[in-house]
Amino acid sequence: VSEVLDGFNCTIFAYGQTGTGKTYTMGGDIERDAETSLLGETAGVIPRAIKQIFETLESAGSEYSVKVSYLELYNEKITDLLGICEDSAEHQLCEDGRGGVVVRGQEEEIVKTSEEIFEVLERGTARRKTAATKLNKESSRSHSVFTVTIHIKETTPEGDEMIKCGKLNLVDLAGSENISRSGAKKERAREAGEINKSLLTLGRVISALVERQSHIPYRDSKLTRLLRDSLGGKTKTCIID
């Protein structure tokens, strides 16, 4: 969180086999105390990060703005979990002309408190696709990307004003699975194939970045293409396995 507030693009992934608790690790229990608004011990990574962001911003006293977006990638199709349209054709990836990628038609909500973000998070999470498998009775069948973008106005020692921008991507990856063990059939088996393919691509991209290869296969998957500006270059990435 501190590096996001310093202006870096950062990403936290929850990765693992289906049924290992990735979604719970990222979200957990976001119930707050009615009097103190404190999170409980079972709060996940996302609510804890959100709480820390606002506590740090409020204590610093700087002028700032925070906006959030929430996307789902299901069978290589993008759904805006905050939008009213579920047609994936409305949400295509396109280049922004600055080396990054934007989602056409994506909704971004400006939030002023952590409570407002929690409400957005709960609303979007309710729309995610889940299905039962032998390994998990409520398995997430999609990747979700919850993004917090922060702009902070600061004044340099010389008296000049500057805007510092940081982005935090909180990614709950769909679980990798062995189709024979999970009992996936027909549509579920096709879903599992797409999930495993995108996870394999993510692994190749990270390996290529670590090895400083000349070609990074971002375009082989919508997930890696979407996160391009937060994986390569001066960025920070953490994987919870």
Side-chain angles (χ1 to χ4, degrees), residues 27-45:
D29 183 359
I30 62 175
E31 291 295 324
R32 285 81 68 198
D33 185 279
E35 295 182 0
T36 64
S37 294
L38 293 176
L39 293 169
E41 293 182 356
T42 56
V45 172

Side-chain angles (χ1 to χ4, degrees), residues 93-124:
L93 294 174
C94 55
E95 305 294 329
D96 64 1
R98 296 172 296 183
V101 174
V102 296
V103 179
R104 185 178 299 152
Q106 177 186 13
E107 293 284 342
E108 291 184 303
E109 295 198 16
I110 296 175
V111 291
K112 297 182 180 179
T113 66
S114 58
E115 290 297 318
E116 290 183 4
I117 292 192
F118 292 146
E119 291 174 4
V120 170
L121 179 62
E122 290 174 329
R123 173 158 44 94

Side-chain angles (χ1 to χ4, degrees), residues 211-226:
E211 296 168 4
R212 301 183 182 278
Q213 296 179 11
S214 58
H215 172 68
I216 312 297
Y218 291 115
R219 300 182 68 90
D220 290 357
S221 165
K222 286 188 178 179
L223 176 66
T224 50
R225 191 178 173 201
L226 177 65

Side-chain angles (χ1 to χ4, degrees), residues 72 74-80 85-93 103-104 222:
E72 175 185 60
Y74 171 72
N75 283 348
E76 285 294 286
K77 296 181 180 180
I78 298 173
T79 298
D80 186 351
C85 178
E86 296 189 21
D87 184 357
S88 64
E90 297 288 333
H91 305 296
Q92 299 297 320
L93 294 174
V103 179
R104 185 178 299 152
K222 286 188 178 179

Side-chain angles (χ1 to χ4, degrees), residues 88-181:
S88 64
E90 297 288 333
H91 305 296
Q92 299 297 320
L93 294 174
C94 55
E95 305 294 329
D96 64 1
R98 296 172 296 183
V101 174
V102 296
V103 179
R104 185 178 299 152
Q106 177 186 13
E107 293 284 342
E108 291 184 303
E109 295 198 16
I110 296 175
V111 291
K112 297 182 180 179
T113 66
S114 58
E115 290 297 318
E116 290 183 4
I117 292 192
F118 292 146
E119 291 174 4
V120 170
L121 179 62
E122 290 174 329
R123 173 158 44 94
T125 299
R127 295 179 59 186
R128 282 196 69 187
K129 289 181 173 63
T130 62
T133 70
K134 288 181 180 178
L135 300 181
N136 185 1
K137 67 180 181 180
E138 199 171 273
S139 174
S140 296
R141 311 305 294 168
S142 62
H143 308 306
S144 72
V145 183
F146 187 78
T147 303
V148 184
T149 305
I150 306 162
H151 292 84
I152 305 173
K153 181 183 286 187
E154 294 185 342
T155 303
T156 66
E158 293 77 23
D160 298 324
E161 288 189 345
M162 60 174 286
I163 301 293
K164 187 163 57 178
C165 178
K167 181 192 293 184
L168 176 61
N169 296 299
L170 297 151
V171 184
D172 177 17
L173 296 170
S176 61
E177 62 182 81
N178 181 308
I179 294 176
S180 60
R181 288 184 59 203

